[in-house]
Amino acid sequence: MFDIQEELKKLPAKPGVYLMHNDKDEIIYVGKARILKNRVRQYFQSSYKRSVKIEHMVSHIAYFEYIITDSELEALVLECNLIKEHRPHYNTMLKDDKSYPYIRVTVQEEYPRILFCRNVRRDKSRYFGPYTSAGAVKETIELIHKVYKIRNCNRALPRDIGKERPCLYHQIKQCDAPCQGWISSEQYRSNVDRAIRFLNGDDKTLLNDLEEKMKAAAEQMEFEEAAEYRDLIQNVRRIGEKQKINDTGGDDRDIIAMAKADDEAVIAIFFIRNGKLLGRDHFHMGGIGDSEKNEIMMDFIKQFYMGTPFIPREILTQEEIPDKEILEKWLSDKRGTKVSLLTPKRGSKHQMMELAQKNAQNILTKDGEKLKREESRTIGAVKELEQLLGIRGLNRMEAFDISNTNGYENVASMVVFERGKARRSDYRKFKIRTVAGPDDYRCMEEALERRFSHGLRETKERQEQGKDVELGSFTRFPDVLMMDGGKGQVNVALRVLEKLKLDIPVCGMVKDDFHRTRGLYYNNEIIQFPKNSEAFRMITRLQDEAHRFAIEYHKSLRSKGQVHSVLDDIKGVGPARRKALMKHFKDIGKIRHAAVEELMEAEGITKKVAEEIYTFFHREKIVQ
């Protein structure tokens, strides 16, 4: 159980990003903080004034987590990336996919310009960024113009030299007027090269120069000019701060670091996609004894990438990995192209590695016991289930449920658990097309046949196209299929699988008279759970999740006005007879169980119509 007040005490006094979750494990808010300890606490202080939206958001927080960064600037970039990735309900930032600003140097021109832009084009220009402050970028470009006298006009030089008089920027001493030929191409290019060195991070010389000018202006009582230099110095420092959270290389890579203590270790992995940190995860590894860090990391890499569908081009590790060449070949074969295992020693990749290691150490220190409980709740529960069923290698479980309103607008839900955790990105919903009326078995048969037929068809198509099969939306089949019901539902699933020539174990999630999970129907027998076992709790969560997802989908259809009375589907029953039936019986359930003679008691219901109604509600179902 997550104790918010206790977890608040553990917050570090460091910059970072925090993620608020609701009781469904959904991320509902992502924020950044200069000091996590102070910022996150404010949400839970009654004395702190909050907006109505934030007040409402706080009421839905079940737990929170956070990522430590090296600076508030890094926290801001990471916050933007996470908001863009997860789209939390209570965030309002960057909903329009706003792009980051860049500085563009047109080095392909004889007299280059230094410009502000938001898109990186495939031209011969050099781009610097992305940056997070558009204002700081513009002020930095203005600074470069003041110091290095770089032009920003659109004149075609040297073709148009001398054709027009110099512009205002020459008059205010921010341009050396190459348009008049008053500076040679070589000298101008030298100024551009010095500006590029500054943009590359060599700002020490420029800062010293500006500080001297600021002091000189202050000594001459030119305080406004001194203040201008002071502001420019601050912008130079802000724009020059390293943005380790963004890797402008635009590549896909995973960064793996670890923290180790006694018989436990935590592996932290950062996922860089298209040059942006879009997420991270951590894994607890127990029973490591006196193993070396590089051995632990090698074991993790083998276990993790065995089950993950995507392998990036580069995997950066904190430690040199034993059997590196063999691992690289194995990973390259799985990916289909070259995969490199690298251990950076310096530069931005090494800085990102240090950041991952800090997060691993923080998690190990703060959440050691919590990680053990989570592992028992998820992976431990899966291992218990393997023992109960006698099935090895359980990883992916799919559960199905049916929902309708008195037999009309049938829908089916498919939920997925992997390693004991919900994998919501793989959830699917089906609007039943071929079944009218209340027939859960036929509805389930249609849903299953559509799910697995789609998967087989997509697998074939991806194989023919030479694509990775496991990356398809339906191509990953479950290791065990969980049906919401007993023998009848299991038989439906087995019949579908046999028809499609698939060999997948099928279990029925059986409930007691109080609608609580009591066991699994597997291989023609009921397997009872110890009520306090983690496997029992996991199956209960899986069953409840399938039920919830089906009902939510059905509610969404009702809210759109797409559900009408089941009576409308009965031959001979129009608006008048439907109204008469409801007036006489008061409840659709009584109509469902009424005999033909009882139905004829309602006004306007003939014997023929009564027989149609009776037949509709008593049609033969699939034999269990």
Side-chain angles (χ1 to χ4, degrees), residues 583-596:
K583 182 178 180 181
H584 181 80
F585 288 98
K586 310 296 184 185
D587 182 77
I588 194 74
K590 293 180 180 178
I591 299 174
R592 184 188 301 274
H593 295 100
V596 172

Side-chain angles (χ1 to χ4, degrees), residues 182-198:
W182 293 345
I183 182 173
S184 68
S185 174
E186 293 75 16
Q187 183 59 46
Y188 185 90
R189 175 69 70 166
S190 175
N191 290 343
V192 171
D193 290 340
R194 290 162 62 198
I196 288 175
R197 285 197 297 270
F198 161 66

Side-chain angles (χ1 to χ4, degrees), residues 34-49:
R34 184 169 61 87
I35 300 177
L36 283 166
K37 184 176 184 179
N38 296 345
R39 183 70 186 96
V40 178
R41 280 183 172 181
Q42 288 178 342
Y43 288 100
F44 304 96
Q45 292 174 348
S46 57
S47 60
Y48 186 73
K49 188 176 180 179

Side-chain angles (χ1 to χ4, degrees), residues 511-544:
K511 293 190 176 183
D512 59 21
D513 294 337
F514 299 98
H515 210 65
R516 295 175 303 195
T517 305
R518 65 181 177 87
L520 288 178
Y521 180 82
Y522 179 61
N523 284 345
N524 295 316
E525 62 176 300
I526 300 291
I527 298 174
Q528 300 289 348
F529 291 106
K531 290 300 177 64
N532 60 348
S533 69
E534 293 295 345
F536 171 78
R537 296 188 182 100
M538 180 184 66
I539 294 299
T540 300
R541 291 195 302 271
L542 180 64
Q543 191 170 33
D544 291 344

Side-chain angles (χ1 to χ4, degrees), residues 382-608:
V382 173
K383 290 179 178 178
E384 284 185 17
L385 185 61
E386 287 180 342
Q387 293 177 349
L388 285 167
L389 299 179
I391 301 175
R392 296 185 62 185
L394 289 186
N395 177 41
R396 181 183 175 98
M397 293 181 284
E398 292 183 8
F400 289 76
D401 193 15
I402 302 294
S403 180
N404 58 57
T405 298
N406 294 320
Y408 189 80
E409 200 66 281
N410 294 298
V411 299
S413 68
M414 165 185 148
V415 302
V416 180
F417 273 28
E418 285 192 358
R419 294 167 59 89
K421 293 182 180 179
R423 185 180 177 87
R424 289 182 172 80
S425 61
D426 284 5
Y427 283 18
R428 295 292 183 270
K429 49 196 177 186
F430 304 85
K431 190 174 179 180
I432 302 303
R433 302 166 181 166
T434 62
V435 182
D439 195 330
D440 285 358
Y441 292 120
R442 288 176 59 205
C443 290
M444 186 66 73
E445 185 173 13
E446 179 188 326
L448 291 172
E449 188 160 344
R450 284 168 58 187
R451 183 265 180 268
F452 289 108
S453 296
H454 189 157
L456 291 170
R457 185 170 60 253
E458 188 175 352
T459 297
K460 182 180 179 181
E461 290 173 355
R462 296 184 72 85
Q463 288 174 338
E464 290 174 349
Q465 297 168 5
K467 295 181 179 179
D468 190 334
V469 171
E470 286 193 341
L471 294 181
S473 60
F474 273 100
T475 55
R476 299 187 65 196
F477 287 174
D479 299 308
V480 65
L481 191 59
M482 295 288 184
M483 310 304 299
D484 187 52
K487 182 178 180 181
Q489 294 284 20
V490 170
N491 287 340
V492 170
L494 290 173
R495 185 165 59 252
V496 171
L497 294 174
E498 182 180 5
K499 177 181 177 181
L500 299 175
K501 299 180 180 179
L502 293 174
D503 183 17
I504 300 173
V506 181
C507 295
M509 299 180 288
V510 183
K511 293 190 176 183
D512 59 21
D513 294 337
F514 299 98
H515 210 65
R516 295 175 303 195
T517 305
R518 65 181 177 87
L520 288 178
Y521 180 82
Y522 179 61
N523 284 345
N524 295 316
E525 62 176 300
I526 300 291
I527 298 174
Q528 300 289 348
F529 291 106
K531 290 300 177 64
N532 60 348
S533 69
E534 293 295 345
F536 171 78
R537 296 188 182 100
M538 180 184 66
I539 294 299
T540 300
R541 291 195 302 271
L542 180 64
Q543 191 170 33
D544 291 344
E545 185 72 347
H547 190 56
R548 176 197 66 78
F549 193 53
I551 289 176
E552 282 189 359
Y553 179 41
H554 197 263
K555 283 181 178 178
S556 72
L557 295 180
R558 288 207 312 270
S559 68
K560 296 175 184 176
Q562 295 179 353
V563 177
H564 59 220
S565 172
V566 66
L567 299 175
D568 292 336
D569 280 352
I570 303 175
K571 184 179 179 180
V573 178
R577 282 173 172 163
R578 182 185 65 214
K579 184 176 180 180
L581 285 165
M582 292 305 297
K583 182 178 180 181
H584 181 80
F585 288 98
K586 310 296 184 185
D587 182 77
I588 194 74
K590 293 180 180 178
I591 299 174
R592 184 188 301 274
H593 295 100
V596 172
E597 293 75 13
E598 293 173 320
L599 291 167
M600 291 173 61
E601 294 175 4
E603 183 179 354
I605 303 300
T606 64
K607 182 177 181 181
K608 183 178 180 180

Side-chain angles (χ1 to χ4, degrees), residues 83-94:
I83 290 173
K84 187 175 182 179
E85 173 71 7
H86 297 290
R87 303 290 183 184
H89 179 69
Y90 289 99
N91 277 100
T92 55
M93 289 182 60
L94 299 179

Side-chain angles (χ1 to χ4, degrees), residues 181-287:
W182 293 345
I183 182 173
S184 68
S185 174
E186 293 75 16
Q187 183 59 46
Y188 185 90
R189 175 69 70 166
S190 175
N191 290 343
V192 171
D193 290 340
R194 290 162 62 198
I196 288 175
R197 285 197 297 270
F198 161 66
L199 291 173
N200 274 323
D202 182 15
D203 55 4
K204 185 176 180 181
T205 302
L206 180 57
L207 286 172
N208 290 338
D209 183 48
L210 289 173
E211 287 173 357
E212 289 177 4
K213 291 181 178 181
M214 180 181 67
K215 291 176 182 178
E219 289 173 358
Q220 296 174 12
M221 309 292 284
E222 299 289 344
F223 297 117
E224 289 186 5
E225 185 179 352
E228 181 180 348
Y229 284 124
R230 178 203 62 199
D231 293 341
L232 289 173
I233 289 170
Q234 291 176 350
N235 286 333
V236 170
R237 286 172 176 164
R238 182 162 66 249
I239 206 71
E241 187 174 353
K242 297 298 182 182
Q243 296 190 36
K244 297 191 293 294
I245 288 297
N246 266 15
D247 177 350
T248 56
D251 290 329
D252 294 337
R253 60 171 56 94
D254 290 349
I255 298 174
I256 304 173
M258 68 175 298
K260 178 176 178 287
D262 300 326
D263 196 39
E264 299 175 5
V266 169
I267 301 285
I269 179 167
F270 282 16
F271 305 105
I272 309 290
R273 299 295 179 261
N274 196 27
K276 301 291 189 298
L277 174 57
L278 294 184
R280 58 91 180 90
D281 207 344
H282 57 262
F283 300 86
H284 173 78
M285 300 191 76

